[in-house]
Amino acid sequence: MFITYLRRELAGRRRQTAIIAIGMALAIALVMIVSSVSSGVRDAQASVLDSVYGVGTDLTVSEEPAAPAEGEAAGPGRFEFGADAGTTEGDSTAISQSRLTAGFGASTFDASALETVQGIDGVSAASATLALTNTTFEGELPDFAQRVEGGPSDEVAEGGEAGGPPAGGFDGAGGSAFDVNSFSVLGLDPAAAAVGPLSSVELDEGRGLEASDAGQAVAVLDASYATSAELAVGDTIDVGGTEFEIVGTVTSTSADAATAADVYIPLDLAQQIAGLDGQVSDIYVQAESADRIDAVQADLEEALPDATVSTQADLAASVSGSLATASSLIANLGLWLSLAVLVAAFLIAILFTIQGVTRRTREFGTLKAIGWSNRRIVGQVTGESLVQGLIGGAAGLALGLAGIWVVNFIAPTLGGSAGDGAAPGVLAAGPQGGDGATAGGPFGGRLDTAAATEVVLNAPVTVSVIAIAIGLAVLGGLLAGAIGGWRAARLRPAEALRSVA
Amino acid sequence: MYRLEHVSKTYTQSKRQVAALKDVSLTIPSGQLVAIQGPTGGGKSTLLQMLGALDRPSTGSITLGESELSHLPDRKLGGIRAKEIGFVFQGFNLIPTLTAQENVETALEPLGVSGEERRRRALAALASVSLADRAGHVPGELSGGQQQRVAIARALVKEPEVLLADEPTGNLDEETRDEIMDLLEGLWRDRGLTLVIVTHDSAIAKRAERRLHIKNGTVTER
């Protein structure tokens, strides 16, 4: 009887059923889409963070950069060329010099901090890196030596030729041209790739850095940087004046994200070339378990009072760009909009159910008169509302999945930057891909040190998204049914019959 | 058998006390056909609701068989209505979305009768009011007289001791009115029911064994 009555009621009141179902469907679909996109944005943030800090990194240790001491240069220092510098061909002299320096705004600290970190309870792995920037100054200028050899006094003595236009240079008429290129370099311990930036890369060509590479002039390049700089495995690259053999190229495991740096070299050589012996800029820490992260953070801060210790949560807050805009849009507008629509849908369902009960006063009065219990009538009303909610839920599920499909079909690209402020020491490790290498200007590489990366937003359909849809449908149905049923239960049969007499 | 002793019922209407029944005492023996007449607002429907265990008196007592209705909780009153009392209303009060047979089955639902048995008894009840061929029709597809027959089948399918009819022919034309009255009278005679009919219609009242008149909440014998 319950099923028959329920079926007949829903079929007999199609318009009410349709309105409630449509309201519920819209609300549920919206909540599903917002929830899925929000989860996609979280994944995108994680992807940005992984590309910079590596997979499995729970904490990073760095130091706030201190203002340069008086007389100390803030930038990469001066490029100094002696009288014999460069190679001369004809009237022109070509000069080139590379300097490997700590990234602008980065601070280095003593590598002994790594041992301190490793000695802390709850730390399962830790590795240190040195984030550097290689700046190459190269150019072509006229061969001044020729003019010196002639000597100004001779020129004057020979009458009339002193002060004549110099020959050579890039335009053959005494002009000069200079290029300043930079790329990011990350010195890391080849034996400790399990945690740190290289844990989120996969090999593209050649091989990765191995434990035996310590002290060897070998480098691994970011694949996109290698492509833009026209370098391949087997070529060499000048890092701080030392030729490194390129043994491999790597790409990020997260889609569309660049890796943390352009060039990866063994830590000891990086320290030696940059003149930063025994110095590191970042320590990547993996905790034994997620619930120990806070305790490890506290211990690290105590053990290294000068250091900045950042967790993934801190780092997530540092993600900026359109990704951050999307995240805040979802968190604010999306959440409130879906809540408002959900409340509206629930209210519609409740009001229609109450209206239905009021319209059926005589029906319920009659049923009570012939002996139906309150429980049976409340059950009937609730059952009807629940099925209406479930119909709405099924329609909402389909609509929500379609909406999520549309989001994934459009696949909006979000830009994200990580590292600004929260982990200043990592700034120099930002991937620059092709852009950093071709920035050209002396500060191009250094200013572009935040980890800017583009991530395609993928809204996943998870079990929780489906569960939310079904849960809301059941909740909406039960809520409307409970309130409608309560109204029906309050009807006294005599009053119910009298009211229509 | 009904026994009413000093029954009064007072309602509050717009902060005003209205006495619908005033110190009513009467006995209705089992198997009697009683007609209740009286002007509108005189207390007819209130008396019927007291008899039907739909409401409790403000003071006094009502006994049906062994049950004292005035102090029973709602759940037990519901049980008595489900088993012992059948109702027929002026407006038929059928559920519009259910078929004639399903409407009749609703009366067996609270008695916990199983599906197959329920269908069999509902069809038999419809046959007893000559509507077996309309079992699958919804009320909207039936005439007023046919709908009232379905309502009578619903009231009788559980084989109650008492049938209470509130203006059962009030919405029907004269010809149909007589058909329905013939039917009710036949059933009353065949089944030994106690039949109480509230009516404005003197032609119907004249067919009753006993006529009560109620005015201003006071009952008098005619």
Side-chain angles (χ1 to χ4, degrees):
Chain A
M1 191 82 227
F2 174 78
I3 301 286
T4 309
Y5 193 12
L6 189 149
R7 200 158 41 88
R8 304 268 174 178
E9 278 304 316
L10 294 186
R13 302 177 203 276
R14 281 199 189 94
R15 211 169 70 173
Q16 179 186 331
T17 304
I19 291 172
I20 293 178
I22 288 169
M24 294 285 276
L26 286 175
I28 287 167
L30 193 65
V31 171
M32 274 179 72
I33 293 168
V34 167
S35 163
S36 173
V37 169
S38 149
S39 157
V41 167
R42 269 199 306 276
D43 289 350
Q45 281 180 326
S47 167
V48 169
L49 290 173
D50 283 352
S51 70
V52 180
Y53 302 106
V55 176
T57 300
D58 297 317
L59 298 139
T60 60
V61 178
S62 57
E63 249 183 46
E64 291 282 354
E70 204 173 328
E72 194 178 304
R78 281 197 305 188
F79 292 91
E80 292 170 349
F81 297 93
D84 299 329
T87 52
T88 306
E89 256 182 55
D91 294 336
S92 299
T93 300
I95 52 164
S96 174
Q97 196 175 101
S98 290
R99 288 182 66 92
L100 189 60
T101 53
F104 193 68
S107 178
T108 59
F109 51 95
D110 199 279
S112 63
L114 178 62
E115 285 166 28
T116 312
V117 170
Q118 284 166 336
I120 283 177
D121 262 0
V123 171
S124 71
S127 74
T129 61
L130 180 58
L132 302 163
T133 301
N134 184 85
T135 311
T136 304
F137 183 94
E138 59 188 350
E140 198 178 342
L141 61 163
D143 181 14
F144 292 111
Q146 281 182 346
R147 294 173 59 78
V148 172
E149 276 168 19
S153 55
D154 295 346
E155 283 169 17
V156 175
E158 285 171 21
E161 291 207 6
F170 86 103
D171 56 357
S176 302
F178 304 101
D179 281 329
V180 183
N181 286 315
S182 66
F183 54 83
S184 58
V185 177
L186 195 65
L188 41 78
D189 181 358
V195 58
L198 280 190
S199 60
S200 64
V201 300
E202 58 189 26
L203 203 59
D204 183 44
E205 271 181 45
R207 65 175 180 85
L209 291 180
E210 294 162 358
S212 60
D213 288 332
Q216 304 294 315
V218 290
V220 167
L221 266 60
D222 176 80
S224 46
Y225 172 70
T227 306
S228 63
E230 296 179 342
L231 291 167
V233 173
D235 292 349
T236 58
I237 183 169
D238 179 352
V239 179
T242 304
E243 291 291 323
F244 278 75
E245 185 195 349
I246 300 168
V247 294
T249 57
V250 291
T251 55
S252 171
T253 47
S254 39
D256 302 308
T259 65
D262 297 329
V263 178
Y264 300 88
I265 60 173
L267 178 63
D268 48 359
L269 266 184
Q271 289 169 329
Q272 190 187 320
I273 296 169
L276 292 166
D277 283 334
Q279 296 284 299
V280 293
S281 59
D282 302 280
I283 298 174
Y284 293 78
V285 184
Q286 192 172 40
E288 278 171 4
S289 63
D291 53 2
R292 300 203 62 175
I293 291 174
D294 288 344
V296 170
Q297 184 183 21
D299 290 349
L300 284 172
E301 280 169 348
E302 197 183 325
L304 302 165
D306 295 333
T308 302
V309 181
S310 308
T311 62
Q312 284 279 1
D314 299 332
L315 299 177
S318 74
V319 173
S320 58
S322 61
L323 187 54
T325 313
S327 169
S328 102
L329 199 68
I330 289 293
N332 298 311
L333 183 66
L335 179 69
W336 290 114
L337 185 66
S338 39
L339 265 181
V341 175
L342 197 63
V343 168
F346 279 14
L347 278 179
I348 288 172
I350 291 168
L351 289 177
F352 269 88
T353 307
I354 289 176
Q355 190 198 27
V357 168
T358 308
R359 199 178 49 232
R360 291 161 75 185
T361 297
R362 181 163 75 169
E363 188 172 317
F364 292 137
T366 306
L367 289 173
K368 285 189 179 188
I370 63 176
W372 279 42
S373 65
N374 268 338
R375 217 172 76 180
R376 178 69 182 79
I377 288 173
V378 170
Q380 192 69 41
V381 173
T382 309
E384 288 171 17
S385 290
L386 192 61
V387 172
Q388 280 171 338
L390 288 176
I391 293 171
L397 191 64
L399 200 62
L401 289 176
I404 292 170
W405 182 84
V406 169
V407 171
N408 287 330
F409 182 74
I410 296 169
T413 304
L414 298 172
S417 305
D420 189 20
V426 189
L427 281 171
Q432 296 151 31
D435 298 342
T438 53
F443 304 108
R446 286 178 286 141
L447 292 177
D448 189 23
T449 47
T453 190
E454 296 218 318
V455 183
V456 173
L457 178 66
N458 173 47
V461 178
T462 56
V463 175
S464 65
V465 166
I466 307 259
I468 284 173
I470 296 169
L472 286 176
V474 171
L475 180 70
L478 283 179
L479 203 62
I483 295 174
W486 174 73
R487 285 274 296 210
R490 282 184 61 206
L491 292 172
R492 295 193 64 81
E495 285 164 18
L497 293 172
R498 191 183 302 129
S499 70
V500 292
Chain B
M1 186 176 79
Y2 275 112
R3 180 174 293 121
L4 283 74
E5 287 175 359
H6 307 293
V7 169
S8 295
K9 180 69 184 178
T10 311
Y11 295 109
T12 307
Q13 249 177 9
S14 313
K15 295 181 183 173
R16 203 163 53 88
Q17 297 278 308
V18 178
L21 291 179
K22 295 173 189 164
D23 195 27
V24 175
S25 294
L26 64 93
T27 302
I28 302 174
S30 293
Q32 194 169 55
L33 197 169
V34 182
I36 303 175
Q37 284 187 285
T40 304
K44 300 189 298 292
S45 292
T46 305
L47 179 61
L48 201 70
Q49 283 164 5
M50 298 295 151
L51 296 175
L54 291 169
D55 210 346
R56 295 188 192 82
S58 303
T59 57
S61 72
I62 301 176
T63 312
L64 171 62
E66 301 297 315
S67 307
E68 217 288 78
L69 304 181
S70 44
H71 295 111
L72 284 181
D74 285 351
R75 197 173 49 80
K76 290 212 167 158
L77 287 182
I80 287 173
R81 291 199 299 272
K83 263 190 237 151
E84 299 177 25
I85 305 171
F87 289 95
V88 176
F89 305 95
Q90 179 178 357
F92 324 133
N93 291 20
L94 298 176
I95 292 165
T97 52
L98 296 182
T99 63
Q101 181 195 324
E102 288 159 356
N103 264 291
V104 175
E105 284 184 45
T106 58
L108 297 174
E109 168 83 9
L111 299 176
V113 180
S114 69
E116 197 50 45
E117 171 73 359
R118 217 167 50 214
R119 277 185 285 280
R120 191 188 61 73
R121 283 173 66 175
L123 281 173
L126 282 172
S128 73
V129 295
S130 312
L131 275 182
D133 57 337
R134 294 281 191 273
H137 290 244
V138 293
E141 297 167 344
L142 301 174
S143 70
Q146 287 172 328
Q147 287 188 51
Q148 194 60 298
R149 283 163 187 263
V150 175
I152 292 168
R154 178 178 64 187
L156 296 177
V157 70
K158 59 191 175 191
E159 295 169 354
E161 290 180 16
V162 178
L163 181 59
L164 303 176
D166 189 0
E167 301 276 8
T169 57
N171 283 7
L172 302 174
D173 60 46
E174 210 166 294
E175 193 181 337
T176 317
R177 178 197 69 184
D178 291 342
E179 274 177 31
I180 292 295
M181 264 321 291
D182 290 346
L183 176 66
L184 284 173
E185 218 175 322
L187 290 167
W188 162 68
R189 193 165 290 121
D190 295 346
R191 301 190 182 203
L193 292 164
T194 304
L195 176 55
V196 180
I197 301 176
V198 167
T199 181
H200 276 110
D201 192 335
S202 296
I204 289 175
K206 279 181 190 157
R207 296 170 74 157
E209 288 181 305
R210 181 181 175 194
R211 293 164 69 181
L212 299 174
H213 191 263
I214 182 163
K215 189 178 177 183
N216 295 329
T218 307
V219 176
T220 49
E221 298 273 351
R222 280 279 171 96

